[in-house]
Amino acid sequence: MKSIPLATLTATSALLISQGASAALYSTTKVEALYGWDYEDRADAGFGIDNQRHAIFTIANASGWTYGDSYFFADFTNIDRGTEDEQDYGSTHAEWNLRGNIGKVLGQNLSFGPVTNLYLSGQLDFDRNSSVRKTTHMVGLGYDIEVPGFAFFKVFTMYRDDDSDAADGTSEQLTLAWNSPFTIGDAKFSFEGFLDYTTEEGDLEEQLLTQPQLMWHANDHIALGLEYQYWHNKFGLDGTDESLPQAIVRWTF
């Protein structure tokens, strides 16, 4: 199974890299500092999995070309950890997604209903902490959906293969990502975020993770906001649910 996602990523990468002589249509990089409280620090089975409060540093880039786009982000969690016990839960989670626009490549209009573009999509997820070093491979389809009032609404339907010891076989993942800008008077805001639903795989239970954000854009570079995180079966652990707010400061280049 892993050879299929890797081949997809290679093919999609080659498609995008082949445009190297032409500049990206857009490229946006942002960094965020988040602070949350009331994280689920213990699994339902009773062992420790996190700190109740911690800070997160995030860096992300979105770039687009004629025949596709890419999105990368990395979360560095518990960056404010101090005690030896807290250091056990510091971690890095990164995702790299590549999409190739099938209609653009074929020179065909593949839009239907609210779907404006259809993509071949490949993704790698990387997780590194004191006890886990794993890479998850994904392959599937991506869709741009036209939703009134939204700058974008993206849907991904992916097969995934988690190479950790707890995962055996494959699973499916549904991802939604959105951004809806709006104004109140002269103030600029946006409602944005994502939702991941993953079916069970091996010993890992099904998971639902969503992080909607409400952001106030002070100017073109600085934004302040609040994120709500809900994670059902955190880390794929049965009965381990998380619900909490996170404060955000963002700088966009």
Side-chain angles (χ1 to χ4, degrees):
M1 176 66 186
K2 291 179 184 176
S3 62
I4 298 176
L6 287 174
T8 300
L9 280 170
T10 301
T12 310
S13 298
L15 173 67
L16 298 180
I17 293 171
S18 67
Q19 304 174 76
S22 61
L25 299 177
Y26 64 85
S27 183
T28 301
T29 300
K30 66 180 181 181
V31 294
E32 291 180 342
L34 300 90
Y35 188 81
W37 49 98
D38 202 27
Y39 291 96
E40 187 62 45
D41 63 334
R42 302 192 70 79
D44 187 60
F47 54 88
I49 58 173
D50 208 343
N51 297 327
Q52 284 191 329
R53 297 170 176 260
H54 60 253
I56 302 170
F57 175 79
T58 298
I59 182 168
N61 174 268
S63 298
W65 294 267
T66 302
Y67 294 106
D69 54 37
S70 70
Y71 180 71
F72 171 84
F73 81 87
D75 284 340
F76 305 92
T77 66
N78 294 351
I79 59 173
D80 58 333
R81 59 190 184 274
T83 68
E84 184 175 348
D85 289 341
E86 287 179 330
Q87 293 175 14
D88 290 341
Y89 301 122
S91 65
T92 299
H93 173 79
E95 298 183 9
W96 178 41
N97 179 276
L98 293 170
R99 302 193 307 170
N101 191 314
I102 300 173
K104 291 285 188 181
V105 172
L106 298 178
Q108 301 291 324
N109 181 1
L110 300 182
S111 63
F112 58 95
V115 177
T116 58
N117 289 294
L118 180 64
Y119 298 84
L120 177 64
S121 182
Q123 182 168 313
L124 294 176
D125 288 6
F126 306 91
D127 290 279
R128 302 290 186 267
N129 58 42
S130 61
S131 59
V132 174
R133 297 182 64 83
K134 70 174 184 177
T135 301
T136 302
H137 309 76
M138 284 187 262
V139 61
L141 295 175
Y143 315 81
D144 285 343
I145 309 295
E146 184 176 5
V147 179
F150 283 72
F152 65 78
F153 194 100
K154 301 178 181 180
V155 177
F156 300 83
T157 52
M158 311 279 279
Y159 286 100
R160 53 179 283 144
D161 189 350
D162 182 335
D163 68 5
S164 66
D165 292 338
D168 181 19
T170 61
S171 58
E172 293 79 44
Q173 179 170 308
L174 170 69
T175 296
L176 311 178
W178 65 86
N179 184 301
S180 177
F182 63 96
T183 59
I184 299 178
D186 293 331
K188 296 180 180 180
F189 297 87
S190 62
F191 172 61
E192 53 193 86
F194 76 90
L195 179 149
D196 285 339
Y197 171 74
T198 307
T199 60
E200 63 181 24
E201 182 177 352
D203 294 332
L204 302 179
E205 297 294 326
E206 65 175 0
Q207 301 179 56
L208 188 149
L209 171 62
T210 186
Q211 294 178 331
Q213 300 175 343
L214 179 63
M215 303 297 298
W216 168 59
H217 299 268
N219 54 46
D220 290 340
H221 300 288
I222 299 174
L224 308 175
L226 191 67
E227 175 178 280
Y228 168 70
Q229 175 166 299
Y230 175 73
W231 197 344
H232 173 61
N233 290 336
K234 181 176 181 178
F235 300 137
L237 301 172
D238 187 26
T240 306
D241 297 338
E242 184 170 80
S243 176
L244 69 140
Q246 299 177 110
I248 308 172
V249 178
R250 176 189 297 169
W251 178 272
T252 301
F253 294 90

